[in-house]
Amino acid sequence: MRIFILLAITAFTISFSSSAQLPQASFKELKKMEDSMKLHSRNMIWDADASRRFNADSIFIRSLVRSLRVPHSFHYPFDSLITVSKLYPADSSFRIFSWQFNKDDNYFRQRGAIQMRTADGSLKLFPLLDMSEFTNKPEDSVRSARNWIGAIYYGIVMKTHNNKNYYTLLGFDDNNLRSTKKWVEVLTFNDKGEPVFGGPYFNVPAQYEKEALAKERFVLEYKKDGRARMNYDSEMDLIIFDHLISETNENDKKYTFIPDGDYQGFKWNNGKWEYVDKVFDFKLKDGEAPMPAPLKDDKGNSNEQWLMQQSETNQQKGKTKPVQQPAKKAPPKKEVNRRSQDIEEY
C-alpha cells in the first residue's frame, strides 16, 4: 500500500535537532507507550471490521494524547507508527500528525493534530477536526483547527514573505468510491498562535477563474484509479501536478478525470503561489538549452524512474538524525488496502 510506504518515508524527514533534547527517562516512557500503540495504529486502518477499526481509532487517539503529554515528547519520532504521517517544517516549530479512518469504501475521514515545539517541553496541541462533509465548496474557505478540511499530509514546504513564515501542505484524501483528492493549502499561525488553514495565496490567470483552479486552497480530484501525481520539486522550486482531462468529455464529473501526460505547477512569488501552465516551458527562454534531467523523454513519456528518485532525494534533504530506533519490518502484503494504491507521489 503506497500510502503507508510514503508515511514510512516521511517518518524520516525530520528537521528537529538532536536526541540530547529528549531526556532518557522520557525516551524510555515514550518507547513503552509507542509499543502499546502500534497494534491500534494498524488495526484502525487494516482491520476488516468497521466497528473494530473505529474502536482502535478511538483508543489510538487517547493513547497518542497521553504520550504527547510526556515532557519533551516533541523530540520523539514515533517511527513505528507507520500508518500515521508525521511532518515537520524546515524551522521545526511544530509537527503535524495525520491519518485516515474509513467506515467503508465510500466514507473516508481524516484525523490529525498539530503539536507545537515549546521551550520547556510542555504540550501545546491543536486537535484537527475534519468537517469536510459539511461543506460543498471546501476550496472556498479559510479554516481553523476546529473545521479542518481533512487530509493525510505527505509534504510540507516552508516559505517566507515579509518576515512571516508560510507552510504549504500537500495532502491526500481517498474521498469516496469514485474519486480521490489531493490538496495544496497554506498553513499560517495567527496572532494568538493558532493554526489557520487556507487563504488568498494562489494567483491564477483570469481565464482559469471559471474553472475554480484555486481559491483558498487547491484541489486535484480525479478518477479513483487515475494515479495523478502532485509534489514539490525543490530543484525547480515548483509544486508540480498532472494536468487532468475527462476521459468521457464530462468536465462536471471529476471522477472521470485522468492525467493526459502534461504537467502544470505553482511557483512561489511575493507571498503567493503563481500558476504555471506549462511546467516544461517554465525555465526555457530564447537561446537556452533544455533543462537537465527532464521529466519526459524524447518521445513525450514520463520519466517515472527519475521522478521517484527526485522525490526521494527531496525528502532526504535537510534531515537530521532522529532518536535511534531499531529497524521496523514492513507490514505483510496481505494487509494491503487497495483503496490507496494511487498514492505514488509526483
Side-chain angles (χ1 to χ4, degrees), residues 156-159 166-170 184-187 199-205 214-215 218 232-233 236-240 265-276:
I156 182 167
V157 182
M158 191 182 88
K159 296 291 186 180
Y166 297 83
Y167 308 95
T168 301
L169 303 171
L170 306 179
V184 179
E185 66 179 336
V186 175
L187 168 66
Y201 302 114
F202 295 91
N203 274 342
V204 297
K215 292 188 177 178
F218 171 64
Y232 173 72
D233 183 275
M236 300 176 70
D237 194 21
L238 285 170
I239 294 173
I240 302 174
F266 288 109
K267 172 75 173 180
W268 183 260
N269 185 35
N270 290 326
K272 293 181 182 292
W273 288 105
E274 294 187 347
Y275 174 66
V276 178

Side-chain angles (χ1 to χ4, degrees), residues 96-218:
I96 301 182
F97 297 90
S98 57
W99 66 96
Q100 184 163 267
F101 170 79
N102 69 299
K103 183 176 67 176
D104 51 48
D105 283 350
N106 201 45
Y107 183 96
F108 297 88
R109 293 296 178 268
Q110 285 72 44
R111 319 294 201 207
I114 296 179
Q115 181 185 16
M116 307 301 296
R117 185 183 64 185
T118 59
D120 62 357
S122 61
L123 178 61
K124 184 177 182 180
L125 190 69
F126 295 99
L128 304 179
L129 306 180
D130 186 358
M131 296 293 176
S132 55
E133 63 184 305
F134 300 110
T135 177
N136 293 322
K137 295 182 178 181
E139 63 268 37
D140 287 356
S141 54
V142 177
R143 299 272 171 157
S144 70
R146 293 184 172 275
N147 61 348
W148 173 57
I149 299 298
I152 306 174
Y153 294 122
Y154 61 88
I156 182 167
V157 182
M158 191 182 88
K159 296 291 186 180
T160 302
H161 178 66
N162 290 337
N163 297 318
K164 181 176 181 178
N165 290 335
Y166 297 83
Y167 308 95
T168 301
L169 303 171
L170 306 179
F172 173 87
D173 176 9
D174 255 316
N175 195 36
N176 58 37
L177 187 62
R178 294 177 125 183
S179 73
T180 297
K181 292 181 178 180
K182 289 181 179 175
W183 291 98
V184 179
E185 66 179 336
V186 175
L187 168 66
T188 56
F189 291 87
N190 61 23
D191 293 339
K192 297 180 180 179
E194 301 166 335
V196 178
F197 293 88
Y201 302 114
F202 295 91
N203 274 342
V204 297
Q207 64 264 35
Y208 293 108
E209 290 181 358
K210 292 182 179 179
E211 300 178 19
L213 181 64
K215 292 188 177 178
E216 309 302 325
R217 58 183 54 80
F218 171 64

Side-chain angles (χ1 to χ4, degrees), residues 18 54 60 132 185 203 230 234 296 301-302 322 341 345:
S18 69
F54 181 81
F60 176 80
S132 55
E185 66 179 336
N203 274 342
M230 182 169 69
S234 61
K296 292 187 179 182
N301 299 316
S302 297
Q341 289 185 344
E345 299 308 335

Side-chain angles (χ1 to χ4, degrees), residues 35-69:
D35 288 342
S36 68
M37 294 164 63
K38 284 189 294 186
L39 178 62
H40 301 302
S41 71
R42 287 169 167 78
N43 289 343
M44 69 185 183
I45 304 297
W46 288 316
D47 198 293
D49 183 78
S51 62
R52 290 197 296 266
R53 289 198 301 272
F54 181 81
N55 184 59
D57 181 74
S58 298
I59 295 173
F60 176 80
I61 291 173
R62 294 194 297 271
S63 300
L64 177 63
V65 174
R66 282 197 298 270
S67 69
L68 295 180
R69 291 196 179 109

